[in-house]
Amino acid sequence: MVDESAERFGVLTDAAFERSRRRIGVPQPLPNPPHNYEVTWDASRHFAYGYGDDNPLYCDPDYGKGTRWGTLIAPPTFLYTVGEDAAPRPDPETKALLKGDPFAGLGSYQAVMEFEWWRPFALGDRARCLRTQVGVVAKPSSFGGRTAHVTHDFIFANQHGEPTCLQRGTWINAERHTSRERKKEHDLPEPYSAEQLAEIDALYAAESRRGGQPRYFEDVVVGEELPTKVKGPLTTTDVVVWHLGWGMQLTPPGAFRLAHRVRAKAPGLYPANALNIPDTVQRLHWEPARAQELGLPTSYDYGAMRETWLCHLLTDWIGDEGWLWKLSVQHRRFNFVGDTTWLKGRVTDKRQVSGPDGSEARGEGGIRGEGGIRNEGGIRNEVEIEVWAENQRGVTTSPAKAVVLLPSRTGGQVVLPTPPADSAEGIVRHEMDRIAAEAAAES
């Protein structure tokens, strides 16, 4: 047993690392029920509209019937809104293990959010989600000292028990004197001129979607750029509309008496506002005064919004016949209310992978080995794309990398990737082994 008294608030100790390591592979109950229990026409449409997407593949069941999917499917990051808790009820020992945060008092920030999608969320689907910590790694800080990189997996399966997708988040925990060195850009947006607004509106007017016209693997050229999309200038209304489809997420949902019940159990989630009225911690995303109390100039977006915007860029480009397989996003700058975000992308590689385990890959540079998720149905046509979110100052706020699968003129439609195991528990073991191997290779 770890002597937890050796843990010190706000100090990165060996005891804290050890207690965190003991949580690896232990299912952690989800704090809230999902926003949606089922993929419905309305739920998918509201989510898509919340980030400015009216793709009929996500919004019109009749349109979906005529696609390769045969039905309406939900946008990729719809996973944020679903997932009944798949964790078993913890016994007293597990409850004690999961109580509190081993790194309490440290500065904590999201380093990267990654996704893998293996099959769509189709109309009528339900989902279960298994949340598990799969790794904790000590790494040196660029400002001196060490940091704790903690990785959590959220593994989703449909009502048939088939793994659907994986969300993998890594958070960096550092002592406050270290995290303070990570200064963010805090410049408030300047008022927009009529010319600037006209430029943004022109890009909205020119926005295109590939839709039912297949984008074939053979036609893609390394180095080609994706059509730019724009999101903004960001308003408080945009954040509110986003919540209509996304749900409340961090704070348990509900108002008045329902909020009171939550506040009675966790008063820290409801700090008082200027009128001494308890209100949700999340209000900093739409209440500038709360953001300013925390040292920020005004309200800002959610990382999930930019992740979803980048998905919008990619899914519009690949069309109904393509498949977004992997996305890895880093959030490096705030995106404040008033900021405008341009979404851009560039093809960096393309290859064909064949064999039951993806053992052979033919790219523009020749034949090379390619491990990872196996393919049991034929050749996989992979395209790697660098994508990023860039604000009106020309600063990249969220760099990202994606892998998409495209149909072939000669090989037919996309073959969906196969997950690394047939169950959520098997995927957890795979993830634990992968992260441990990466850590051993770096040491």
Side-chain angles (χ1 to χ4, degrees):
M1 297 290 291
V2 176
D3 178 10
E4 296 186 4
S5 65
E7 296 177 22
R8 290 178 290 162
F9 186 84
V11 178
L12 194 54
T13 65
D14 291 338
F17 271 103
E18 180 55 30
R19 186 153 73 99
S20 182
R21 290 189 186 100
R22 289 170 53 209
R23 296 182 174 192
I24 293 175
V26 178
Q28 299 186 21
L30 299 175
N32 304 314
H35 183 54
N36 296 304
Y37 280 94
E38 182 178 320
V39 181
T40 67
W41 176 7
D42 283 336
S44 181
R45 178 171 54 89
H46 290 162
F47 183 79
Y49 280 15
Y51 66 90
D53 189 356
D54 60 356
N55 189 339
L57 184 62
Y58 310 140
C59 302
D60 184 349
D62 290 334
Y63 178 89
K65 292 176 183 177
T67 68
R68 67 156 292 183
W69 312 107
T71 184
L72 176 148
I73 64 173
T77 53
F78 189 79
L79 62 84
Y80 271 118
T81 79
V82 295
E84 299 170 59
D85 193 6
R89 181 182 292 274
D91 57 28
E93 183 179 357
T94 303
K95 280 186 176 180
L97 175 63
L98 297 178
K99 185 177 180 181
D101 181 359
F103 303 111
L106 299 175
S108 180
Y109 56 92
Q110 182 182 312
V112 63
M113 189 64 77
E114 300 172 289
F115 304 86
E116 293 185 24
W117 291 274
W118 306 304
R119 62 175 61 243
F121 282 118
L123 187 65
D125 276 353
R126 296 186 66 151
R128 291 176 64 80
C129 176
L130 182 66
R131 174 189 177 185
T132 309
Q133 181 178 324
V134 292
V136 56
V137 180
K139 293 189 176 183
S141 165
S142 58
F143 304 107
R146 62 176 177 170
T147 59
H149 291 231
V150 181
T151 301
H152 289 266
D153 276 4
F154 300 80
I155 301 165
F156 296 81
N158 63 19
Q159 67 272 25
H160 306 297
E162 301 164 325
T164 302
C165 53
L166 164 69
Q167 180 186 8
R168 180 192 304 118
T170 297
W171 285 262
I172 296 178
N173 299 271
E175 294 181 8
R176 293 288 181 180
H177 68 83
T178 298
S179 60
R180 274 196 296 266
E181 298 296 328
R182 295 185 69 253
K183 290 187 181 282
K184 299 290 188 182
E185 183 176 276
H186 285 183
D187 294 334
L188 278 173
E190 297 288 336
Y192 285 79
S193 66
E195 291 76 16
Q196 289 173 313
L197 293 174
E199 178 186 356
I200 294 168
D201 285 345
L203 199 53
Y204 278 128
E207 188 170 297
S208 63
R209 178 171 57 240
R210 190 73 176 187
Q213 180 183 1
R215 183 177 298 280
Y216 290 110
F217 175 81
E218 292 86 351
D219 297 338
V220 173
V221 178
V222 172
E224 73 171 279
E225 296 185 352
L226 277 61
T228 299
K229 282 189 184 297
V230 67
K231 301 289 184 182
L234 184 69
T235 66
T236 300
T237 303
D238 295 323
V239 177
V240 171
V241 174
W242 163 256
H243 273 291
L244 294 178
W246 189 53
M248 286 301 292
Q249 302 298 328
L250 299 179
T251 299
F256 303 117
R257 183 179 65 86
L258 300 181
H260 160 74
R261 292 193 310 195
V262 176
R263 178 161 50 86
K265 294 180 180 179
L269 292 177
Y270 293 83
N273 63 18
L275 297 176
N276 199 35
I277 301 170
D279 197 1
T280 174
V281 294
Q282 278 181 269
R283 70 182 191 268
L284 62 86
H285 289 286
W286 56 81
E287 186 180 287
R290 177 57 181 167
Q292 290 159 5
E293 289 174 3
L294 298 175
L296 297 165
T298 191
S299 302
Y300 59 97
D301 70 349
Y302 293 92
M305 292 179 75
R306 273 176 275 171
E307 293 154 13
T308 302
W309 296 349
L310 290 168
C311 285
H312 188 191
L313 173 70
L314 291 160
T315 53
D316 270 6
W317 186 75
I318 64 177
D320 299 345
E321 298 291 318
W323 183 252
L324 174 56
W325 178 17
K326 298 180 181 181
L327 178 66
S328 176
V329 185
Q330 300 176 38
H331 298 301
R332 296 183 178 175
R333 294 289 189 273
F334 284 99
N335 180 39
F336 292 112
V337 167
D339 280 341
T340 300
T341 298
W342 280 266
L343 307 167
K344 303 181 179 182
R346 181 183 305 110
V347 175
T348 56
D349 193 17
K350 57 182 288 191
R351 56 182 172 269
Q352 292 182 305
V353 179
S354 63
D357 60 353
S359 57
E360 180 182 288
R362 181 178 299 276
E364 294 204 340
I367 303 291
R368 64 184 177 87
E370 179 71 13
I373 294 178
R374 61 188 182 277
N375 182 293
E376 298 177 334
I379 294 176
R380 189 169 64 233
N381 303 301
E382 302 179 8
V383 177
E384 290 187 3
I385 305 174
E386 177 187 13
V387 290
W388 64 96
E390 181 180 304
N391 67 20
Q392 71 273 20
R393 304 177 192 88
V395 175
T396 296
T397 59
S398 294
K401 295 181 180 179
V403 179
V404 302
L405 308 180
L406 296 178
S408 167
R409 292 186 181 277
T410 58
Q413 67 180 16
V414 166
V415 176
L416 292 179
T418 305
D422 296 330
S423 67
E425 293 77 14
I427 295 172
V428 168
R429 290 191 294 272
H430 170 84
E431 285 281 286
M432 290 165 54
D433 292 343
R434 182 187 61 80
I435 292 174
E438 290 178 355
E442 291 180 3
S443 62

